[in-house]
């Protein structure tokens, strides 16, 4: 478990999830947080990662570093998604064991569950069926990480656990349409449709696929709660426990931006998993409850998008 005296090595601190966890820890008064940029420490390099862990001797390691992306990125670079995520996890998990680190938390994804998983998805449904093809490589890597943590905890008597979020969004999200997840892609498309006074919005797939969406700061608050409290299960689902269609999210964003667009569905593009809603019964047994606020989350994410866009424009001038 983790407390304010713990020396914490937080990986991926510049990413959307890692930066949110960093803000949360600082807000709660954690002052012994170690971070390292990719230039300073390449987590794909086993020798350097092992040496870094042995030299710094953290009490807790948080694995928020990962190669992530949307459907197109996952389909195009399956080789990179499986190699880089396995390598990062293996180096950090085994390196932590060698450095005598007793607590490690791996952040995963709801895509670990079967493509046609019974809804909502319980932790016990893991490995009960084939994975969704578009993110299979990433999913396999995350499943391997979950099992590695489970086996190390069992064999070496350490506390290596995993937390599974749903689709996350928020500040520091990726708005590159060739790499992003559906929500930041919709925000960017609808924003520019409004600016350019377009009348239509092209949405990938049928629009019927359903997703559970969670604001990244809500997830970070929950993640830190469980890192502090501890839990007996190998991994826990953390989400809102509710899902809406891609079409619903598109209309929600249009309403927030006060724009009306006719949606055209590009059915040549994949839907991904038809449904993906986490069962959070186990998490709630520990006294945690979700508190979703889609409007607040959207506004903070949209403001970040506008600021990011403005900074990029200024840098070109």
């Amino acid at each position: 478990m983790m407390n304010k005296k713990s020396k914490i090595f937080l990986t991926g601190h510049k990413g959307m999830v890692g930066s949110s966890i960093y803000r949360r820890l600082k807000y709660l008064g954690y002052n012994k947080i170690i971070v390292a940029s990719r230039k300073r420490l390449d987590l794909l390099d086993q020798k350097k990662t092992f040496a870094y862990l042995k030299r710094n001797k953290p009490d807790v390691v948080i694995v928020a570093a990962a190669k992530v992306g949307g459907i197109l990125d996952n389909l195009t670079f399956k080789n990179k998604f499986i190699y880089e995520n396995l390598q990062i996890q293996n180096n950090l998990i085994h390196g932590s064991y060698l450095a005598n680190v007793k607590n490690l938390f791996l952040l995963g994804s709801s895509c670990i569950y079967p493509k046609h998983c019974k809804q909502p998805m319980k932790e016990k449904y893991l490995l009960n069926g084939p994975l969704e093809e578009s993110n299979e490589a990433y999913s396999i890597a995350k499943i391997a990480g979950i099992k590695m943590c489970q086996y190390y905890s069992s064999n070496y008597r350490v506390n290596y656990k995993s937390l599974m979020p749903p689709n996350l969004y928020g500040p520091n999200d990726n708005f590159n349409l060739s790499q992003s997840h559906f929500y930041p892609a919709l925000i960017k498309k609808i924003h520019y449709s409004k600016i350019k006074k377009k009348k239509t919005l092209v949405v990938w797939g049928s629009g019927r696929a359903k997703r559970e969406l969670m604001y990244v700061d809500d997830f970070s608050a929950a993640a830190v709660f469980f890192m502090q409290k501890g839990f007996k299960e190998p991994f826990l689902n953390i989400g809102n426990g509710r899902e809406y269609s891609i079409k619903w999210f598109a209309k929600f964003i249009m309403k927030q931006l006060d724009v009306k667009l006719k949606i055209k569905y590009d059915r040549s593009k994949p839907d991904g998993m038809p449904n993906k809603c986490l069962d959070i019964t186990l998490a709630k047994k520990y006294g945690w409850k979700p508190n979703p606020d889609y409007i607040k989350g959207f506004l903070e994410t949209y403001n970040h998008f506008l600021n990011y866009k403005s900074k990029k424009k200024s840098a070109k001038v």
Side-chain angles (χ1 to χ4, degrees):
M1 291 185 286
M2 182 174 73
N3 58 59
K4 292 179 183 178
K5 294 181 180 180
S6 301
K7 188 178 183 182
I8 303 165
F9 177 34
L10 172 62
T11 69
H13 72 286
K14 290 188 176 181
M16 178 178 68
V17 181
S19 61
S20 179
I21 290 176
Y22 185 84
R23 292 192 300 271
R24 182 66 182 176
L25 291 173
K26 282 292 187 179
Y27 171 77
L28 293 175
Y30 284 81
N31 295 312
K32 296 182 179 180
I33 307 171
I34 310 167
V35 296
S37 66
R38 188 177 299 178
K39 185 177 181 180
R40 182 181 169 195
L41 175 63
D42 183 358
L43 295 173
L44 295 173
D45 188 317
Q46 186 182 84
K47 185 178 179 180
K48 290 182 179 178
T49 303
F50 284 7
Y52 185 89
L53 287 162
K54 284 188 176 181
R55 184 170 64 252
N56 286 281
K57 294 180 172 57
D59 301 305
V60 180
V61 171
I62 302 174
V63 186
K67 179 173 179 59
V68 297
I71 287 182
L72 180 60
D73 222 21
N74 272 273
L75 282 169
T76 307
F77 302 108
K78 290 183 178 182
N79 55 319
K80 291 185 178 181
F81 274 87
I82 194 165
Y83 168 73
E84 292 188 20
N85 284 300
L86 283 173
Q87 190 78 347
I88 290 168
Q89 292 168 185
N90 289 345
N91 291 345
L92 286 169
I93 296 169
H94 191 63
S96 293
Y97 160 69
L98 294 176
N100 200 32
V101 176
K102 298 301 182 184
N103 298 280
L104 179 145
F105 298 96
L106 171 71
L107 306 184
S109 167
S110 58
C111 70
I112 62 170
Y113 291 105
K115 179 176 182 177
H116 298 292
C117 191
K118 183 179 177 182
Q119 302 292 313
M121 302 182 294
K122 298 179 183 289
E123 288 87 347
K124 67 180 181 180
Y125 296 159
L126 182 68
L127 298 175
N128 274 4
L131 298 166
E132 212 292 310
E133 297 85 355
S134 63
N135 55 24
E136 184 181 63
Y138 179 76
S139 303
I140 289 172
K142 286 301 176 183
I143 292 170
I146 293 169
K147 288 299 182 181
M148 191 171 180
C149 287
Q150 181 180 348
Y151 301 150
Y152 272 53
S153 292
S154 176
N155 285 34
Y156 298 130
R157 295 184 180 179
V158 291
N159 182 49
Y160 291 4
K161 300 294 180 73
S162 305
L163 297 167
M164 298 301 115
N167 282 70
L168 299 175
Y169 72 103
N172 292 324
D173 211 336
N174 187 346
F175 292 92
N176 184 323
L177 295 181
S178 65
Q179 300 173 334
S180 65
H181 290 97
F182 84 93
Y183 198 68
L186 284 176
I187 289 175
K188 185 173 185 177
K189 285 181 178 180
I190 295 169
H191 168 81
Y192 280 110
S193 293
K194 180 178 180 178
I195 296 298
K196 297 178 181 180
K197 297 182 179 179
K198 292 184 177 181
K199 295 182 179 180
T200 60
L201 169 70
V202 178
V203 172
W204 278 24
S206 67
R208 292 193 297 266
K210 291 184 177 181
R211 292 292 177 266
E212 179 182 8
L213 198 64
M214 190 174 197
Y215 184 54
V216 69
D217 286 356
D218 292 338
F219 171 75
S220 296
V224 172
F225 171 86
F226 284 106
M227 291 174 193
Q228 292 172 321
K229 189 176 184 68
F231 52 97
K232 63 180 182 179
E233 294 82 5
F235 71 99
L236 282 181
N237 292 335
I238 297 179
N240 291 323
R242 62 182 72 175
E243 63 178 355
Y244 300 97
S245 68
I246 302 296
K247 179 181 178 180
W248 185 94
F249 285 112
K251 289 188 173 182
F252 170 80
I253 295 170
M254 283 190 271
K255 182 178 180 181
Q256 302 311 309
L257 296 184
D258 192 26
V259 59
K260 291 184 179 180
L261 301 168
K262 182 180 179 180
I263 301 176
K264 289 188 176 181
Y265 300 101
D266 183 354
R267 297 177 187 272
S268 68
K269 300 296 193 299
D271 272 335
M273 288 179 70
N275 298 82
K276 200 163 67 163
C277 185
L278 293 170
D279 186 298
I280 54 175
T281 303
L282 289 180
K284 289 166 77 173
K285 286 183 179 179
Y286 288 93
W288 169 78
K289 291 182 180 180
N291 186 30
D293 186 340
Y294 292 107
I295 294 177
K296 178 184 176 182
F298 166 78
L299 291 174
E300 293 188 9
T301 305
Y302 185 62
N303 286 332
H304 168 80
F305 166 72
L306 293 177
N307 291 333
Y308 173 76
K309 186 169 65 71
S310 178
K311 287 178 181 178
K312 283 191 69 177
K313 186 176 180 180
S314 298
K316 292 178 181 180
V317 174

